[in-house]
């Protein structure tokens, strides 16, 4: 069951976007997105209230506001 996932490392995957369903990972504390092709993150990421570390050396121009 991925809803219990606390750490997600996705570096170097050429990701261009994250699914809005990422908000289902309610226990996620660490999300590493370094070296992908992301330009923005879905608003749903702001619903991850346990997220304490978000790393990403991408081409992000905007981060969604925290709820």
């Amino acid at each position: 069951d991925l809803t219990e996932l606390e750490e997600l490392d996705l570096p170097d995957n050429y990701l261009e976007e994250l699914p809005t369903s990422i908000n289902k990972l309610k226990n996620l504390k660490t999300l590493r997105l370094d070296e992908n092709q992301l330009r923005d993150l879905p608003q749903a990421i702001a619903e991850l209230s346990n997220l304490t570390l978000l790393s990403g050396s991408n081409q992000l121009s905007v981060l969604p506001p925290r709820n």
Side-chain angles (χ1 to χ4, degrees):
D1 186 7
L2 292 178
T3 59
E4 300 300 318
L5 193 68
E6 292 186 5
E7 187 170 329
L8 184 57
D9 292 321
L10 296 170
D12 299 309
N13 282 292
Y14 302 99
L15 297 175
E16 293 182 5
E17 62 183 36
L18 291 178
T20 56
S21 60
I22 191 140
N23 68 343
K24 293 181 180 176
L25 302 177
K26 298 292 185 193
N27 292 316
L28 197 64
K29 294 179 182 177
T30 302
L31 178 56
R32 290 187 175 93
L33 300 168
D34 303 288
E35 303 301 328
N36 281 291
Q37 305 298 317
L38 299 167
R39 293 195 180 275
D40 56 19
L41 296 174
Q43 178 63 36
I45 207 165
E47 297 173 30
L48 300 175
S49 60
N50 291 317
L51 191 64
T52 57
L53 175 68
L54 173 62
S55 71
S57 56
N58 296 283
Q59 299 172 0
L60 292 173
S61 57
V62 176
L63 290 176
R66 201 145 180 54
N67 287 348

